[in-house]
mmCIF file of all heavy atoms in Angstrom:
data_model
loop_
_atom_site.group_PDB
_atom_site.id
_atom_site.type_symbol
_atom_site.label_atom_id
_atom_site.label_comp_id
_atom_site.label_asym_id
_atom_site.label_seq_id
_atom_site.Cartn_x
_atom_site.Cartn_y
_atom_site.Cartn_z
ATOM 1 N N GLY A 158 -0.452 -14.983 -26.852
ATOM 2 C CA GLY A 158 0.852 -14.839 -27.398
ATOM 3 C C GLY A 158 1.921 -15.592 -26.847
ATOM 4 O O GLY A 158 3.124 -15.544 -27.346
ATOM 5 N N PHE A 159 1.675 -16.252 -25.752
ATOM 6 C CA PHE A 159 2.682 -17.157 -25.169
ATOM 7 C C PHE A 159 2.022 -18.136 -24.279
ATOM 8 O O PHE A 159 0.803 -17.999 -23.946
ATOM 9 C CB PHE A 159 3.703 -16.352 -24.269
ATOM 10 C CG PHE A 159 3.228 -15.790 -22.994
ATOM 11 C CD1 PHE A 159 3.443 -16.439 -21.834
ATOM 12 C CD2 PHE A 159 2.442 -14.616 -22.931
ATOM 13 C CE1 PHE A 159 2.952 -15.923 -20.649
ATOM 14 C CE2 PHE A 159 1.945 -14.105 -21.795
ATOM 15 C CZ PHE A 159 2.151 -14.804 -20.626
ATOM 16 N N THR A 160 2.766 -19.108 -23.710
ATOM 17 C CA THR A 160 2.200 -20.231 -22.925
ATOM 18 C C THR A 160 2.459 -19.956 -21.482
ATOM 19 O O THR A 160 3.605 -19.974 -21.019
ATOM 20 C CB THR A 160 2.719 -21.579 -23.424
ATOM 21 O OG1 THR A 160 2.453 -21.721 -24.848
ATOM 22 C CG2 THR A 160 2.046 -22.666 -22.665
ATOM 23 N N VAL A 161 1.437 -19.895 -20.640
ATOM 24 C CA VAL A 161 1.551 -19.605 -19.280
ATOM 25 C C VAL A 161 2.389 -20.744 -18.608
ATOM 26 O O VAL A 161 3.254 -20.429 -17.738
ATOM 27 C CB VAL A 161 0.149 -19.519 -18.581
ATOM 28 C CG1 VAL A 161 0.266 -19.683 -17.048
ATOM 29 C CG2 VAL A 161 -0.473 -18.203 -18.969
ATOM 30 N N SER A 162 2.184 -21.916 -18.969
ATOM 31 C CA SER A 162 2.822 -23.078 -18.225
ATOM 32 C C SER A 162 4.285 -23.153 -18.614
ATOM 33 O O SER A 162 5.024 -23.838 -17.944
ATOM 34 C CB SER A 162 2.163 -24.408 -18.700
ATOM 35 O OG SER A 162 2.263 -24.605 -19.999
ATOM 36 N N SER A 163 4.746 -22.407 -19.544
ATOM 37 C CA SER A 163 6.246 -22.455 -19.942
ATOM 38 C C SER A 163 6.984 -21.297 -19.221
ATOM 39 O O SER A 163 8.222 -21.273 -19.400
ATOM 40 C CB SER A 163 6.386 -22.303 -21.435
ATOM 41 O OG SER A 163 5.723 -23.401 -22.138
ATOM 42 N N ASN A 164 6.329 -20.568 -18.472
ATOM 43 C CA ASN A 164 6.888 -19.380 -17.847
ATOM 44 C C ASN A 164 6.634 -19.331 -16.356
ATOM 45 O O ASN A 164 5.725 -19.978 -15.867
ATOM 46 C CB ASN A 164 6.411 -18.032 -18.444
ATOM 47 C CG ASN A 164 6.813 -17.884 -19.871
ATOM 48 O OD1 ASN A 164 7.905 -17.210 -20.129
ATOM 49 N ND2 ASN A 164 6.070 -18.350 -20.745
ATOM 50 N N TYR A 165 7.527 -18.643 -15.681
ATOM 51 C CA TYR A 165 7.223 -18.329 -14.272
ATOM 52 C C TYR A 165 6.241 -17.180 -14.294
ATOM 53 O O TYR A 165 6.377 -16.249 -15.091
ATOM 54 C CB TYR A 165 8.503 -17.853 -13.483
ATOM 55 C CG TYR A 165 9.625 -18.789 -13.318
ATOM 56 C CD1 TYR A 165 9.620 -20.076 -13.822
ATOM 57 C CD2 TYR A 165 10.794 -18.426 -12.701
ATOM 58 C CE1 TYR A 165 10.567 -20.939 -13.693
ATOM 59 C CE2 TYR A 165 11.825 -19.246 -12.447
ATOM 60 C CZ TYR A 165 11.809 -20.569 -12.956
ATOM 61 O OH TYR A 165 12.784 -21.448 -12.810
ATOM 62 N N MET A 166 5.193 -17.290 -13.520
ATOM 63 C CA MET A 166 4.133 -16.259 -13.529
ATOM 64 C C MET A 166 3.861 -15.848 -12.084
ATOM 65 O O MET A 166 3.787 -16.736 -11.158
ATOM 66 C CB MET A 166 2.805 -16.861 -14.094
ATOM 67 C CG MET A 166 2.880 -17.335 -15.555
ATOM 68 S SD MET A 166 3.119 -15.944 -16.646
ATOM 69 C CE MET A 166 1.714 -14.931 -16.388
ATOM 70 N N SER A 167 3.755 -14.623 -11.862
ATOM 71 C CA SER A 167 3.591 -13.949 -10.550
ATOM 72 C C SER A 167 2.335 -13.094 -10.415
ATOM 73 O O SER A 167 1.813 -12.672 -11.489
ATOM 74 C CB SER A 167 4.776 -13.170 -10.148
ATOM 75 O OG SER A 167 5.880 -13.852 -9.788
ATOM 76 N N TRP A 168 1.937 -12.902 -9.191
ATOM 77 C CA TRP A 168 0.884 -11.873 -8.942
ATOM 78 C C TRP A 168 1.719 -10.807 -8.051
ATOM 79 O O TRP A 168 2.433 -11.107 -7.148
ATOM 80 C CB TRP A 168 -0.254 -12.407 -8.118
ATOM 81 C CG TRP A 168 -1.138 -13.229 -8.955
ATOM 82 C CD1 TRP A 168 -1.167 -14.595 -9.140
ATOM 83 C CD2 TRP A 168 -2.253 -12.724 -9.741
ATOM 84 N NE1 TRP A 168 -2.138 -15.040 -9.926
ATOM 85 C CE2 TRP A 168 -2.830 -13.940 -10.399
ATOM 86 C CE3 TRP A 168 -2.824 -11.518 -10.080
ATOM 87 C CZ2 TRP A 168 -3.922 -13.873 -11.186
ATOM 88 C CZ3 TRP A 168 -3.883 -11.444 -10.900
ATOM 89 C CH2 TRP A 168 -4.454 -12.558 -11.495
ATOM 90 N N VAL A 169 1.411 -9.544 -8.434
ATOM 91 C CA VAL A 169 1.974 -8.385 -7.747
ATOM 92 C C VAL A 169 0.851 -7.452 -7.359
ATOM 93 O O VAL A 169 -0.064 -7.210 -8.176
ATOM 94 C CB VAL A 169 3.075 -7.685 -8.566
ATOM 95 C CG1 VAL A 169 3.590 -6.406 -7.864
ATOM 96 C CG2 VAL A 169 4.267 -8.618 -8.936
ATOM 97 N N ARG A 170 0.818 -6.919 -6.287
ATOM 98 C CA ARG A 170 -0.229 -5.977 -5.844
ATOM 99 C C ARG A 170 0.233 -4.610 -5.421
ATOM 100 O O ARG A 170 1.429 -4.470 -5.088
ATOM 101 C CB ARG A 170 -1.086 -6.569 -4.705
ATOM 102 C CG ARG A 170 -0.448 -6.695 -3.405
ATOM 103 C CD ARG A 170 -1.406 -7.332 -2.402
ATOM 104 N NE ARG A 170 -0.789 -7.524 -1.009
ATOM 105 C CZ ARG A 170 -1.395 -8.120 -0.013
ATOM 106 N NH1 ARG A 170 -2.589 -8.694 -0.214
ATOM 107 N NH2 ARG A 170 -0.754 -8.256 1.167
ATOM 108 N N GLN A 171 -0.704 -3.694 -5.420
ATOM 109 C CA GLN A 171 -0.291 -2.303 -5.133
ATOM 110 C C GLN A 171 -1.506 -1.693 -4.386
ATOM 111 O O GLN A 171 -2.533 -1.390 -4.989
ATOM 112 C CB GLN A 171 0.028 -1.480 -6.344
ATOM 113 C CG GLN A 171 0.518 -0.112 -6.116
ATOM 114 C CD GLN A 171 1.124 0.550 -7.372
ATOM 115 O OE1 GLN A 171 0.564 0.304 -8.436
ATOM 116 N NE2 GLN A 171 2.150 1.318 -7.229
ATOM 117 N N ALA A 172 -1.333 -1.484 -3.119
ATOM 118 C CA ALA A 172 -2.353 -0.860 -2.250
ATOM 119 C C ALA A 172 -2.458 0.606 -2.762
ATOM 120 O O ALA A 172 -1.513 1.202 -3.277
ATOM 121 C CB ALA A 172 -1.954 -0.852 -0.794
ATOM 122 N N PRO A 173 -3.629 1.248 -2.600
ATOM 123 C CA PRO A 173 -3.800 2.644 -3.024
ATOM 124 C C PRO A 173 -2.783 3.538 -2.521
ATOM 125 O O PRO A 173 -2.463 3.667 -1.277
ATOM 126 C CB PRO A 173 -5.223 2.985 -2.494
ATOM 127 C CG PRO A 173 -5.941 1.681 -2.391
ATOM 128 C CD PRO A 173 -4.867 0.682 -1.945
ATOM 129 N N GLY A 174 -2.057 4.208 -3.441
ATOM 130 C CA GLY A 174 -1.061 5.270 -3.011
ATOM 131 C C GLY A 174 0.228 4.644 -2.540
ATOM 132 O O GLY A 174 1.054 5.374 -2.061
ATOM 133 N N LYS A 175 0.441 3.353 -2.631
ATOM 134 C CA LYS A 175 1.578 2.658 -2.107
ATOM 135 C C LYS A 175 2.393 2.051 -3.213
ATOM 136 O O LYS A 175 2.117 2.138 -4.404
ATOM 137 C CB LYS A 175 1.168 1.581 -1.069
ATOM 138 C CG LYS A 175 0.264 2.098 0.048
ATOM 139 C CD LYS A 175 1.066 3.067 0.907
ATOM 140 C CE LYS A 175 0.184 3.493 2.133
ATOM 141 N NZ LYS A 175 0.904 4.455 2.988
ATOM 142 N N GLY A 176 3.444 1.405 -2.771
ATOM 143 C CA GLY A 176 4.367 0.753 -3.694
ATOM 144 C C GLY A 176 3.963 -0.646 -4.137
ATOM 145 O O GLY A 176 2.893 -1.162 -3.833
ATOM 146 N N LEU A 177 4.836 -1.315 -4.866
ATOM 147 C CA LEU A 177 4.569 -2.588 -5.333
ATOM 148 C C LEU A 177 4.939 -3.765 -4.381
ATOM 149 O O LEU A 177 6.042 -3.634 -3.736
ATOM 150 C CB LEU A 177 5.364 -2.842 -6.685
ATOM 151 C CG LEU A 177 5.000 -1.842 -7.788
ATOM 152 C CD1 LEU A 177 6.033 -1.940 -8.899
ATOM 153 C CD2 LEU A 177 3.660 -2.084 -8.325
ATOM 154 N N GLU A 178 4.163 -4.710 -4.247
ATOM 155 C CA GLU A 178 4.393 -5.894 -3.400
ATOM 156 C C GLU A 178 4.178 -7.121 -4.129
ATOM 157 O O GLU A 178 3.040 -7.464 -4.584
ATOM 158 C CB GLU A 178 3.490 -5.830 -2.083
ATOM 159 C CG GLU A 178 3.701 -7.030 -1.204
ATOM 160 C CD GLU A 178 2.673 -7.037 -0.128
ATOM 161 O OE1 GLU A 178 1.579 -6.501 -0.236
ATOM 162 O OE2 GLU A 178 2.875 -7.792 0.901
ATOM 163 N N TRP A 179 5.221 -8.023 -4.212
ATOM 164 C CA TRP A 179 5.159 -9.299 -4.826
ATOM 165 C C TRP A 179 4.200 -10.194 -3.919
ATOM 166 O O TRP A 179 4.484 -10.085 -2.705
ATOM 167 C CB TRP A 179 6.470 -9.901 -4.968
ATOM 168 C CG TRP A 179 6.460 -11.301 -5.465
ATOM 169 C CD1 TRP A 179 6.231 -11.759 -6.726
ATOM 170 C CD2 TRP A 179 6.572 -12.515 -4.575
ATOM 171 N NE1 TRP A 179 6.224 -13.128 -6.692
ATOM 172 C CE2 TRP A 179 6.442 -13.608 -5.468
ATOM 173 C CE3 TRP A 179 6.827 -12.662 -3.237
ATOM 174 C CZ2 TRP A 179 6.514 -14.955 -4.940
ATOM 175 C CZ3 TRP A 179 6.874 -13.830 -2.761
ATOM 176 C CH2 TRP A 179 6.716 -15.081 -3.605
ATOM 177 N N VAL A 180 3.421 -10.955 -4.502
ATOM 178 C CA VAL A 180 2.417 -11.776 -3.793
ATOM 179 C C VAL A 180 2.739 -13.249 -3.905
ATOM 180 O O VAL A 180 2.782 -13.993 -2.848
ATOM 181 C CB VAL A 180 0.973 -11.459 -4.207
ATOM 182 C CG1 VAL A 180 -0.035 -12.413 -3.580
ATOM 183 C CG2 VAL A 180 0.600 -10.021 -3.909
ATOM 184 N N SER A 181 2.885 -13.652 -5.134
ATOM 185 C CA SER A 181 2.984 -15.223 -5.251
ATOM 186 C C SER A 181 3.545 -15.493 -6.647
ATOM 187 O O SER A 181 3.512 -14.645 -7.557
ATOM 188 C CB SER A 181 1.583 -15.782 -5.224
ATOM 189 O OG SER A 181 1.679 -17.199 -5.321
#
Side-chain angles (χ1 to χ4, degrees):
Chain A
F159 73 98
T160 302
V161 163
S162 61
S163 298
N164 290 267
Y165 295 0
M166 298 294 299
S167 281
W168 288 95
V169 176
R170 68 183 180 184
Q171 186 170 37
K175 303 297 185 181
L177 300 167
E178 179 189 18
W179 172 81
V180 171
S181 180

